Amino acid sequence: MDKHRSKYLANEDGYYGDFGGAFIPELLQHNIDELKANWEQIIESDSFQKEYVKLLKDYVGRPSPLYFSQRLSDKYNAQIYLKREDLNHTGSHKVNNTIGQVLIAKQLGKSRIIAETGAGQHGVATATICALMGLECVVYMGATDIARQAPNVARMKMLGAEVRAAESGNKTLKDATNEAIRDWINHPTDTFYVIGSVVGPHPYPDMVAQLQSVISKEIKEQMSQLPNYVVACVGGGSNAAGAFYHFLDNEEVELVAVEAAGMGVETAETAASIAQGNVGFIHGSKTLLMQDEDGQITEPYSISAGLDYPGIGPLHANLYTQKRATVMNATDEEALQAAFELTQLEGIIPALESAHALAALPKLALKPTDVVVVNLSGRGDKDMETYIAKMNS
Ligand SMILES: *Cc1c(COP(=O)(O)O)cnc(C)c1O
């Protein structure tokens, strides 16, 4: 494993510049300490690597192809490649992380897995690996989200997971997270909490970024030169972290993170945590998030459920502050247009989240020689209802 640590990755205390850390209830200290003391050693062990690499290959179908998109390249007059995370088993990059964390949980001797989920994508990816490993799985989900994400709730149940409704607050992701943390406090020895993005207290952001870094490791192996741009959408930031990871120290590669603007960054109906947010604390870490004058976290909005998160991982808050990453945003309408464009030019229906990354293409001042990699984080089957509504409008 690569021993060199980029200055853009977390330091020993889990800080990315001013961001990160572990702001947790006293009662969780033991769980976090246990994870902090063991996760890197586990990931570097031969037994973990053997099983992780084998599952990524035979179960997920990695390496995912790096596809040269001729017609998109013609349209934007540049060399555009798509990293096909949409072809992974379960349809997105999320499984790279859940396989890794569940294997770590097993090595720590944990028999019970908990997770929180918003739209249900992370819940499904977690329930999938728990089914594979024969582990008990409890997924917390806001009652509002349960009502509007019926297919993913059904998938989790079919996979053998118990879906528990969070009935407090707005009954969405934030409330599900609170319930999951409460569960972890109440089950301090047998339970592992699988977090779905590069968020949460240290060491989660660092661990999830490393598990997703297989994306940029493969991109580097699949290309004969460095790209000029790597573009990815950001909700919490895990697919972007994975796509950027091995390029962090290649300063000539422009890293482009695309947030969901929703109805527009100047409106209240947005999930653009960097464009509209400021410094605060969410999910146990110090980062950029959307909050009102009283410091209350505001409810985010995006047409895409996976980007509908009020904060952003501390890695990205720092990449933006250090000007290492370029942060852009795309509205609901721009993302929809990009989704239809890719579908009609390439026969690939992208996830709405990934469509936000594609929507950055017309906004980049591309030259014909520019090589661009867009991380296609997921497939669009789950978004057909939204696409159908768009066609009928
Ligand atoms: C969940 C999800 C995202 C957003 O999560 P990140 O942690 O920001 O990657 C993006 N794309 C797809 C397909 C997703 O399912």
Side-chain angles (χ1 to χ4, degrees), residues 92-94 121 197 233-239 306-307 351 353-354 377-378:
S92 82
H93 67 291
K94 285 201 169 73
Q121 296 300 107
S197 190
C233 65
V234 273
S238 69
N239 87 87
L307 302 182
E353 292 84 1
S354 321
S377 55

Side-chain angles (χ1 to χ4, degrees), residues 134-148:
L135 291 174
E136 182 186 348
C137 180
V138 175
V139 180
Y140 289 90
M141 190 168 183
T144 308
D145 289 333
I146 288 180
R148 60 187 179 189

